Amino acid sequence: MFRKIFGNFLHTLAFILPFGYSLRPFLHKVRGVKVGKNVWISKYVYIDDNHPECIFIGDNSTIGLRTTIFAHTYFGSPRKTNPDKVVIGKNVFIGPHCLILANVVIGDGAVIKGGTVVTRNVPPNTLFGMPSPEPLATLTVPLTSEHSYEEFVKGIKPIRKKR
């Protein structure tokens, strides 16, 4: 019971406090989220409070403002164990206001457009998002602090749809 209350307290702090490269990732790690190195977690990000241990965020990833990540699919009282997981790979950029549901794997180097609801796996190095969530392009340069925006844009290879 104390662990749950303490976890909720840390989650509330991580939700509003500054320092997205240091304090917020640290607080989520203490809660049980597996967070890699050099991860940016924006303000107002909700990471499942029932099963934070079922969420994995890879190195050099960015989680955008007001994103929500759920790692469970049941309703009612929290269960002791949870078979569902969310895996966010390395060098992933998740735009603002995204919803990531349970049992999703986002591949390394993927970019999720803002406002996207992610209900299925996202292939590596893929731009994923609206109008209907689907792969839109293949990415050859990740959108991370180690590359400029211009390099990222030059590395976008649109996926041609069959007509």
Side-chain angles (χ1 to χ4, degrees):
M1 177 68 164
F2 175 75
R3 182 169 167 79
K4 177 74 171 155
I5 292 169
F6 184 65
N8 284 343
F9 175 71
L10 293 177
H11 190 252
T12 301
L13 288 177
F15 195 76
I16 59 171
L17 289 177
F19 308 113
Y21 268 124
S22 57
L23 185 57
R24 286 193 294 265
F26 171 76
L27 292 172
H28 286 297
K29 280 183 189 178
V30 173
R31 291 181 55 231
V33 179
K34 280 79 172 175
V35 180
K37 297 175 186 166
N38 199 31
V39 169
W40 171 267
I41 299 177
S42 297
K43 278 188 171 182
Y44 314 119
V45 171
Y46 175 86
I47 297 178
D48 196 312
D49 59 350
N50 286 341
H51 296 286
E53 72 281 359
C54 296
I55 297 174
F56 305 86
I57 303 172
D59 297 344
N60 302 317
S61 291
T62 299
I63 312 295
L65 185 74
R66 296 192 184 277
T67 290
T68 299
I69 303 171
F70 282 111
H72 69 281
T73 54
Y74 62 83
F75 295 97
S77 301
R79 299 178 185 166
K80 291 187 187 269
T81 60
N82 180 39
D84 301 332
K85 304 263 185 274
V86 173
V87 177
I88 298 169
K90 297 177 184 175
N91 301 315
V92 170
F93 181 89
I94 298 172
H97 297 275
C98 289
L99 172 61
I100 301 169
L101 298 178
N103 294 317
V104 166
V105 175
I106 299 175
D108 294 347
V111 172
I112 310 298
K113 287 177 59 178
T116 299
V117 178
V118 182
T119 60
R120 60 185 177 185
N121 293 344
V122 177
N125 303 311
T126 301
L127 178 61
F128 190 85
M130 303 306 280
S132 69
E134 62 185 11
L136 304 173
T138 301
L139 306 174
T140 60
V141 177
L143 185 56
T144 62
S145 59
E146 294 152 6
H147 301 281
S148 70
Y149 182 72
E150 291 76 19
E151 290 175 301
F152 166 74
V153 170
K154 287 179 185 175
I156 296 174
K157 307 294 182 216
I159 296 174
R160 305 282 182 218
K161 296 183 182 180
K162 298 176 184 174
R163 294 179 187 212

